[in-house]
Amino acid sequence: MKSFSESYKAAGVDVTAGYRAVELMKSHVERTKIPGVVSGIGGFGGLFQPNLTGMKEPVLVSGTDGVGTKLKIAFLMNKHDTVGIDCVAMCVNDVVCCGAKPLFFLDYVATGKNHPETVAEIVGGVAEGCVQAGCALVGGETAEMPGFYPPDEYDLAGFSVGLVDREKIIDGSKIQPGDAIIGLQSSGLHSNGFSLVRKVFRVNEQNIGMYIDELGCTLGEALLTPTKIYVKPVLRLMEKVGVKAISHITGGGFYENVPRMLKPGVCAKIEKKALPQMPIFSLLQRQGNIPEHDMYNTFNMGIGMCIAVAKEDANRAVDELKAAGQSAFVIGEIAAGDEGVVIC
């Protein structure tokens, strides 16, 4: 007998919609298959067999995150095919900070009402993020939760697992005064600070589609730009240059995230003039009358990842990143001191 519950449907949960969503997302999941994938979707667990060849002491590295209130922008625009990229990015960009290669990803979509086409759009974005990161989407979960979420809203979260040889873990222990800090350009706001962003711009159905000359696009398009995934260029850089420390600039901006890559006794000096000038940040600061310190303590300010390398390797590091398609700049240096981060 086919699975169906009239009573459950009357309570607001349609299991057949879930089956339809799975059918629609299968082609997206198929795009992410890489060597090591053992199972398809639909089982109770996602199976993955890692290649441990040449590794002395394999270490698993995991990361988890969600998209946050940036989802409110997707709801207003009725555009759901990019937030999955954000979800993957927030996890795999963390994992690669340890020097690990992301292997696989799982997502969790909780919605007020299961609209199969919308869920498939969301998972399509997740799959695209996995392709960009070079990892596999091996499973996930869709939960229909009427009364908990509004019918046309959802939450999206996920996690990734990566692998690194213990002797190659990047932990900041080799960082020294005089090392250069390389900044990798962001695609915009990424997925952080959106509660403040929505307050400043008073985002609503009327202004979300407003074209803003300064941005060169509509407000909604600028805000919904997906988070940059740095995995492939960073892994390539690690093969060419000795990377000493990596920091993913997420919620908390520079002041919270850069110290996480520093060892005791050193600080990071960041030169403001070296950062790319992206219109979204200047518009946000001006319109919200936000103090400079708060900007650097909330947003990435055009730099989504910081990497510390020896001074003599700085130019080569920038060139290698650019060759991988990633804009990068020398934005500061490591110095002696306990100030954490100094923006100058």
Side-chain angles (χ1 to χ4, degrees):
M1 180 180 292
K2 188 175 181 181
S3 175
F4 177 73
S5 171
E6 191 67 50
S7 299
Y8 210 7
K9 184 176 181 180
V13 178
D14 184 357
V15 294
T16 60
Y19 304 146
R20 170 65 176 160
V22 170
E23 286 300 316
L24 290 174
M25 68 178 70
K26 281 184 176 179
S27 62
H28 298 302
V29 175
E30 189 68 25
R31 294 180 58 214
T32 75
K33 279 196 173 181
I34 60 174
V37 174
V38 176
S39 63
I41 60 172
F44 288 101
L47 307 181
F48 191 93
Q49 183 176 14
N51 182 0
L52 305 180
T53 304
M55 284 195 166
K56 297 178 182 178
E57 295 182 86
V59 176
L60 294 176
V61 180
S62 58
T64 185
D65 209 338
V67 182
T69 62
K70 182 174 184 175
L71 292 175
K72 289 287 189 180
I73 310 301
F75 303 156
L76 284 171
M77 296 183 68
N78 194 26
K79 180 174 171 57
H80 311 284
D81 59 348
T82 61
V83 290
I85 300 175
D86 291 294
C87 189
V88 174
M90 299 305 289
C91 299
V92 297
N93 285 346
D94 280 354
V95 167
V96 81
C97 285
C98 301
K101 173 180 171 53
L103 299 177
F104 58 83
F105 187 87
L106 285 89
D107 62 8
Y108 177 79
V109 184
T111 180
K113 182 175 176 56
N114 190 335
H115 301 286
E117 290 74 16
T118 299
V119 172
E121 276 190 70
I122 297 166
V123 175
V126 172
E128 174 59 28
C130 288
V131 169
Q132 291 182 22
C135 66
L137 178 57
V138 297
E141 177 70 16
T142 302
E144 191 170 16
M145 302 169 64
F148 196 89
Y149 294 100
D152 293 320
E153 294 193 5
Y154 55 85
D155 197 8
L156 173 63
F159 76 91
S160 179
V161 173
L163 187 67
V164 63
D165 205 342
R166 189 180 185 92
E167 65 182 14
K168 295 182 179 180
I169 292 175
I170 296 173
D171 59 6
S173 60
K174 297 179 180 179
I175 209 166
Q176 297 291 335
D179 287 342
I181 301 174
I182 310 299
L184 281 59
Q185 186 164 350
S186 71
S187 57
L189 289 164
H190 285 184
S191 301
N192 306 111
F194 270 80
S195 294
L196 177 57
V197 169
R198 291 185 301 112
K199 178 182 178 182
V200 168
F201 290 129
R202 299 179 181 177
V203 178
N204 55 47
E205 292 181 352
Q206 284 68 48
N207 66 11
I208 196 71
M210 183 184 303
Y211 186 88
I212 300 177
D213 290 337
E214 186 174 350
L215 300 178
C217 60
T218 67
L219 177 62
E221 288 170 339
L223 300 186
L224 205 56
T225 301
T227 305
K228 180 75 173 179
I229 293 177
Y230 297 106
V231 171
K232 290 181 179 179
V234 170
L235 291 177
R236 169 176 167 152
L237 178 67
M238 288 166 48
E239 295 176 353
K240 307 288 185 178
V241 175
V243 173
K244 297 188 177 187
I246 307 177
S247 175
H248 183 199
I249 310 302
T250 56
F254 285 82
Y255 286 108
E256 184 174 316
N257 291 290
V258 174
R260 297 167 68 181
M261 77 173 187
L262 303 176
K263 68 179 185 180
V266 298
C267 66
K269 293 188 175 180
I270 305 294
E271 298 180 17
K272 290 183 292 185
K273 64 181 181 181
L275 273 58
Q277 300 302 305
M278 301 185 71
I280 187 64
F281 297 104
S282 54
L283 178 64
L284 183 62
Q285 182 175 11
R286 186 174 67 250
Q287 191 157 323
N289 193 28
I290 303 172
E292 182 178 84
H293 178 276
D294 290 2
M295 291 294 295
Y296 281 90
N297 209 155
T298 309
F299 304 109
N300 67 60
M301 301 303 287
I303 296 295
M305 187 166 278
C306 292
I307 299 178
V309 301
K311 184 177 182 179
E312 58 269 24
D313 291 332
N315 291 335
R316 184 183 175 194
V318 169
D319 291 342
E320 291 290 349
L321 288 164
K322 289 182 177 178
Q326 174 60 54
S327 296
F329 323 88
V330 177
I331 63 168
E333 66 175 1
I334 302 297
D338 295 311
E339 301 96 330
V341 181
V342 179
I343 309 292
C344 53

